[in-house]
Amino acid sequence: MARTGRPHVTARTAAVWAVLRRELDRNAGRTLTVLDVGGGTGGFAVPLAEAGHTVTVIDASPDALAALTRRAADAGVAERVHAVQGDGDALAGLVEPGSADLILCHAVLEVVDDPSGVVAAIATALRPGGAVSLLVASRAAAILARAVNGHLRAASALVTDPEGRSGPRDTLRRRYDAETAADLLSAAGLQVEETHGVRVVTDLLPATVVEQDPQAVLDLELALSAQLPFRDIASQLHLFARRP
């Protein structure tokens, strides 16, 4: 039976959890088969398992998967969390077609070799009516962050680089805006239902401000997450799409 407990939500994850909670409520009474691509130590996977769903986490890091296993055991949901070592580019060979109700793909498309192939594999793995939660790095936020910190050449490179990179030392291979991320999903036959900004203000505030009134920060994040222009300057963009 599903538990009624809710995940510990912070301002950095509030917008994502708000969307996921609506999807869980939409499927109330069902045990969902969830796939978390690049799910690491289980920040999303374990709360979803605590809600009664079965979750498979695919991640390239054996250390992260070991931490996931310990975390799931500590939460009493080890039987509902499965760890699979592999990276996003290998997804098509790791998952059965039409086997997942919900797929999380958070902070993955920025680092894989073939983002279009990963999204196509996600679409194939979803059952009809299944949904994907996609979280990607925002080009606009990276430009503004570098500009206000005085790194003007890096900011200019981010503007003109086709992949949204600041140069050869950039730790990410690409960044997105709402349109390019939506186009990637649409090309795989998925229908985008919602787009939100994640960490609209949280990354701009001093830690002391966040610690002083975390609820106020969380409330502001949620209020701004779907509003333009605030949505598009968030550190990350969250798109929720469905397979028809």
Side-chain angles (χ1 to χ4, degrees):
M1 175 178 286
R3 298 186 183 184
T4 57
R6 292 175 179 266
H8 176 64
V9 175
T10 68
R12 296 175 66 86
T13 61
V16 178
W17 274 117
V19 175
L20 293 178
R21 177 55 58 186
R22 287 194 290 273
E23 182 67 8
L24 298 184
D25 290 345
R26 181 177 182 267
N27 290 278
R30 291 183 59 206
T31 297
L32 299 182
T33 299
V34 183
L35 177 65
D36 191 351
V37 183
T41 61
F44 283 89
V46 170
L48 287 170
E50 288 181 306
H53 307 289
T54 61
V55 188
T56 297
V57 176
I58 296 176
D59 199 281
S61 169
D63 290 339
L65 293 177
L68 163 72
T69 301
R70 292 192 297 271
R71 189 174 190 169
D74 290 344
V77 294
E79 74 283 359
R80 290 199 289 272
V81 176
H82 311 285
V84 176
Q85 188 173 356
D87 59 31
D89 285 303
L91 182 61
L94 296 172
V95 184
E96 290 293 325
S99 61
D101 299 300
L102 174 64
I103 297 179
L104 278 58
C105 183
H106 295 171
V108 171
L109 298 189
E110 299 92 325
V111 297
V112 295
D113 294 332
D114 180 14
S116 296
V118 173
V119 174
I122 286 171
T124 299
L126 284 171
R127 295 186 176 115
V132 56
S133 168
L134 180 71
L135 192 63
V136 294
S138 164
R139 182 201 292 254
I143 293 169
L144 292 174
R146 283 160 177 76
V148 299
N149 283 292
H151 305 302
L152 302 184
R153 292 186 182 275
S156 295
L158 280 160
V159 174
T160 57
D161 186 86
E163 298 291 344
R165 303 185 75 230
S166 63
R169 295 185 178 180
D170 200 325
T171 57
L172 298 183
R173 301 177 70 170
R174 61 190 66 85
R175 292 178 179 83
Y176 296 86
D177 55 38
E179 291 73 23
T180 55
D183 287 346
L184 198 59
L185 293 167
S186 298
L190 300 170
Q191 296 177 350
V192 178
E193 295 183 346
E194 301 184 60
T195 303
H196 292 88
V198 176
R199 292 154 52 200
V200 178
V201 297
T202 301
D203 290 354
L204 305 175
L205 298 173
T208 53
V209 174
V210 177
E211 293 167 1
Q212 182 178 6
D213 196 345
Q215 186 61 48
V217 178
L218 188 153
D219 292 342
L220 184 58
E221 281 286 339
L222 289 175
L224 297 178
S225 63
Q227 290 191 35
L228 296 175
F230 307 106
R231 181 198 75 181
D232 289 346
I233 62 170
S235 295
Q236 295 174 299
L237 296 168
H238 182 238
L239 287 82
F240 196 75
R242 195 173 304 279
R243 178 181 173 184

